[in-house]
Amino acid sequence: KVYNYFLVAILGLLGFSGCDKVEEFAPEYGMPHAKYELKGKVINSRKGLLSDMQVVVGEIENRELLKYVYYRDTLYTDSKGEFFYKDDYAWPGSKLRAKFTGIQKNGEISIYKPDSIDVDMGELTGASGNWYEGKASKEVTINVKEKEQENAE
């Protein structure tokens, strides 16, 4: 029993010494994030705007042997062939990939080849000093080509 009282006394003295020191800043929990906006348009080889076409946009994760896109969002071009992507919680310094799938809004396969463009979002502006690292906006154009017609013989 004496041994237990001795341990309680020692631990009590050592344990309470850390309570009188007040930290200048309280710890924060969260993760760094940025706001990204990507405005784009899809045109064909004759500079014609393509409406109601599917575009999938997402962040690119780049590892040593693996490159993949995650947090994807499926969009469709409007009557002017334009699309707009916004992500308020993107990982800072990410690149985005905008992929033209060749699928129309009605589910039909178009006459155009799938294509994609990788976009470096560049410098962030307007950081708050906490977890918010800022905002970046870009405009892109995806130029698509028609599929080659296969000769049916």
Side-chain angles (χ1 to χ4, degrees):
K1 284 190 168 195
V2 174
Y3 182 70
N4 286 344
Y5 290 125
F6 178 71
L7 285 177
V8 169
I10 295 294
L11 290 175
L13 290 173
L14 294 175
F16 289 114
S17 67
C19 293
D20 60 355
K21 184 177 180 184
V22 178
E23 294 289 328
E24 194 171 318
F25 298 101
E28 291 184 19
Y29 298 97
M31 73 175 234
H33 66 279
K35 290 184 180 180
Y36 287 151
E37 292 180 355
L38 183 65
K39 183 178 179 183
K41 63 182 171 183
V42 179
I43 61 174
N44 62 19
S45 57
R46 295 181 296 278
K47 307 293 183 213
L49 301 172
L50 302 179
S51 63
D52 296 328
M53 301 302 289
Q54 187 180 80
V55 178
V56 179
V57 179
E59 293 179 50
I60 300 173
E61 177 70 28
N62 217 348
R63 303 282 172 124
E64 286 181 36
L65 300 173
L66 180 66
K67 188 174 191 176
Y68 59 95
V69 179
Y70 63 103
Y71 298 127
R72 293 181 293 265
D73 194 5
T74 301
L75 311 168
Y76 291 92
T77 57
D78 61 15
S79 60
K80 299 175 196 166
E82 297 176 346
F83 63 91
F84 182 74
Y85 171 80
K86 181 177 181 181
D87 185 354
D88 289 338
Y89 296 100
W91 189 259
S94 295
K95 289 185 177 183
L96 298 179
R97 175 171 291 162
K99 181 177 182 180
F100 171 78
T101 62
I103 300 173
Q104 298 173 340
K105 196 172 192 176
N106 63 9
E108 297 286 323
I109 304 295
S110 73
I111 62 170
Y112 300 100
K113 292 182 191 178
D115 200 359
S116 65
I117 183 170
D118 290 352
V119 182
D120 183 354
M121 294 305 290
E123 289 292 318
L124 298 169
T125 58
S128 69
N130 291 329
W131 291 113
Y132 177 62
E133 305 248 342
K135 178 181 177 179
S137 299
K138 289 275 179 146
E139 290 190 27
V140 297
T141 300
I142 301 175
N143 299 303
V144 296
K145 298 179 178 135
E146 290 184 14
K147 294 177 185 173
E148 296 177 15
Q149 299 295 328
E150 294 180 9
N151 293 334
E153 294 182 34

